[in-house]
Amino acid sequence: MTCRAVIFDLFGTLVENFTAAQYAEMLAGMADAVGVPREAFARLWSDTAFARNVGEFATAEENIAYICHTLGVAAPNEHIRAAAELRWQAIRTIAQPRADAAGTLAQLKARGIRLGLISDCGAEGPRLWAELPFAGLIDVPIFSCVAGVKKPDPRIYRLACTTLGVEPAECLYVGDGGSHELTGASRLGMRAVLLRVPWDHLLMDGRPDACEWRGAVISTLHEVLALLA
């Protein structure tokens, strides 16, 4: 079947992602800001990832306040806000557009390809998206924190396909392998491809498909154009 749409992941695909060291540094700074032991904060931040990504915490402040309450720490609101701002600024600094992202999206658009986005993210995802220079090229951006469901749940892929007006078999999915996203896309009938960059081994954990994937692999976004030729 002809490919009518390409759906992209965001973090680690269209924009850069944290390395493990950068992510640990961010969490340490957030913990220090609210006066919580670093190891305990990191553990609970990880434990609340699913809730954060499906929108159970409307803001980072809510998530941080929950962690403080769980650990019995009465952090002042201004300290909680400072921790959330530290996270936001870290995301803005790290999540820079890949060099070939805008050009690739523009060329796909010029070919008449429908473009979608599926991102597992907390409340900062939509906020970051609004600042990215190529956001207007994506026809259907879907954020897990808004949709209330995350990858690899088939519902989030179906939502993207339905909104794009295409069948799963007409879609190419491109991602860096987080959240079993490629496996989830393939199970629904999409063609999926792993974006693997040279510094892949430095990136943060949580990308099982990056290790287990046996399907198509690319090293630049521009290679998507050749896949559709």
Side-chain angles (χ1 to χ4, degrees):
M1 188 176 289
T2 301
C3 180
R4 296 177 54 208
V6 180
I7 299 175
F8 292 91
D9 169 50
L10 179 56
F11 295 100
T13 302
L14 291 180
V15 301
E16 304 288 355
N17 205 355
F18 286 89
T19 64
Q22 289 169 332
Y23 196 69
E25 181 181 1
M26 179 193 72
L27 291 182
M30 293 170 68
D32 292 348
V34 291
V36 168
R38 290 180 173 183
E39 184 176 337
F41 185 92
R43 173 175 51 80
L44 281 173
W45 188 259
S46 176
D47 289 347
T48 54
F50 182 86
R52 182 167 56 252
N53 286 339
V54 297
E56 292 182 18
F57 296 108
T59 64
E61 286 88 344
E62 285 188 13
N63 197 166
I64 296 164
Y66 171 84
I67 291 174
C68 291
H69 176 76
T70 300
L71 295 174
V73 174
N77 288 336
E78 59 268 28
H79 292 183
I80 291 173
R81 287 194 295 268
E85 180 63 17
L86 188 153
R87 171 169 164 79
W88 168 238
Q89 293 303 330
I91 290 173
R92 292 184 76 198
T93 299
I94 298 299
Q96 295 296 311
R98 292 204 186 277
D100 55 350
T104 299
L105 294 176
Q107 290 185 61
L108 289 170
K109 196 81 170 176
R111 294 185 184 185
I113 300 295
R114 298 279 287 165
L115 300 179
L117 175 90
I118 301 177
S119 176
D120 281 352
C121 60
E124 298 89 355
R127 185 179 176 188
L128 175 71
W129 184 248
E131 295 188 358
L132 294 176
F134 49 70
L137 294 171
I138 296 289
D139 300 297
V140 175
I142 293 176
F143 305 98
S144 63
C145 61
V146 177
V149 63
K150 67 183 292 293
K151 298 176 283 190
D153 192 308
R155 290 175 293 175
I156 200 164
Y157 300 100
R158 290 195 188 102
L159 175 61
C161 291
T162 299
T163 313
L164 284 166
V166 297
E167 295 296 325
E170 298 175 307
C171 291
L172 174 68
Y173 183 89
V174 182
D176 71 328
S179 305
H180 287 292
E181 60 185 348
L182 305 176
T183 302
S186 296
R187 285 175 178 167
L188 200 65
M190 295 182 183
R191 181 184 178 194
V193 59
L194 170 67
L195 175 66
R196 173 167 282 150
V197 294
W199 54 94
D200 189 77
H201 64 290
L202 297 176
L203 298 179
M204 51 185 284
D205 295 334
R207 299 179 306 118
D209 277 344
C211 300
E212 303 165 7
W213 185 244
R214 296 294 180 266
V217 179
I218 58 176
S219 57
T220 68
L221 288 170
H222 191 73
E223 293 174 62
V224 172
L225 300 170
L227 292 177
L228 302 184

